[in-house]
Amino acid sequence: MTVLRGAAPILAAARLQLRGTAWLSILIGAAVQPATYVTITLAAHGTSVLDRPTIVLGSGLLSAWTVTLWQAGMVLRREFWAGTLPAICSRSAGLGPVLVGKTLAAVGLSVTLTATSVAVVAAVEGRPLVIARPGVFCLALVAGFAATLPLGLLVSCLFLLTRSAIRVAETLLYPVFILGGLLIPPDRLPAWLRPVSGVLSLHWAQQLLTGAAAGSVPAGGWAGLAVTGAVYTVAARVAFRRVLRRAREEGTLEIF
């Protein structure tokens, strides 16, 4: 019963987030843009050293990362703009369950649309994605989402901790594009940059997904995904406490 009571605010926040979804913005960001990106990347396949499944999955993960960054990052910012954030902080449920529920709904919807868009484009292009181990592939999708969601929560808190959060979020896009090993193989990077890929959960998700598609899953991918997800979770908790402290003790939350 305690678990159910704890989950109730999260589910209520998720429903509220879905009810207030700006569908045009979501469709453009989570469906149209990924479709365009995958089409362009597949068109350049002739000059790529990557196979088609890696290109499709890498493009999909990059698109999912982009929508995660912006949809999660804007959750608390929109509450601030609407003037509802102080009231949320003072309610008995607290800011935590509301933030988790809204972020889960926003990111989950966006990532689902992105995955659907990427799969449809790949099929229309005549290059449908064939999965050798569908069960492992689905498990890797869920694990990758679970490991990356805390990073979205961290970015959401960042949007209230600094006025420069939007610029920071824009900056965060490009290191993942280059260093994540999603479309640029890590062995093509300078040797001193290659270890950076290991701190990105999307890098491990890519390994697991492409491995499941090919039928050979690297065992180290699961450990890498678990470790990066745990690190993101700790960082998100620290940032969340900072936001909550500002809201309840310093009274400076609305400065941002």
Side-chain angles (χ1 to χ4, degrees), residues 12 25 29 35 52 71 75 85 105 109 111 128-129 143-144 151 158 162 167 175-176 193 201 208 229 243 246 251:
S25 175
R52 290 177 180 177
Q71 290 300 319
V75 164
L85 188 59
L109 175 61
V111 170
L129 188 61
L151 188 55
L158 179 67
T162 172
R167 303 287 82 83
V176 174
L193 271 178
S201 62
L208 292 172
V243 169
R246 174 173 286 150

Side-chain angles (χ1 to χ4, degrees), residues 1 18 20 39 90 95 119 129 144-145 152 164-165 186-187 203 218 231 239 245:
M1 293 299 293
L18 292 175
T39 300
S90 64
L95 181 62
L129 188 61
F145 179 79
S164 303
D187 59 10
H203 168 73
V231 171
R245 180 173 178 271

Side-chain angles (χ1 to χ4, degrees), residues 34 59-69 107 110-111 114 202:
S59 300
L61 286 172
L62 286 177
S63 301
W65 163 241
T66 301
V67 296
T68 296
L69 191 63
V107 175
S110 298
V111 170
T114 296
L202 289 178

Side-chain angles (χ1 to χ4, degrees), residues 145-204:
F145 179 79
T148 306
L149 184 64
L151 188 55
L153 294 170
L154 174 61
V155 174
S156 183
C157 293
L158 179 67
F159 269 58
L160 289 180
L161 290 175
T162 172
R163 294 185 179 91
S164 303
I166 293 179
R167 303 287 82 83
V168 173
E170 291 173 346
T171 303
L172 287 174
L173 288 173
Y174 300 102
V176 174
F177 278 32
I178 298 171
L179 303 175
L182 305 182
L183 289 177
I184 301 175
D187 59 10
R188 295 299 181 97
L189 298 172
W192 60 275
L193 271 178
R194 294 171 192 170
V196 178
S197 300
V199 304
L200 301 173
S201 62
L202 289 178
H203 168 73
W204 301 109

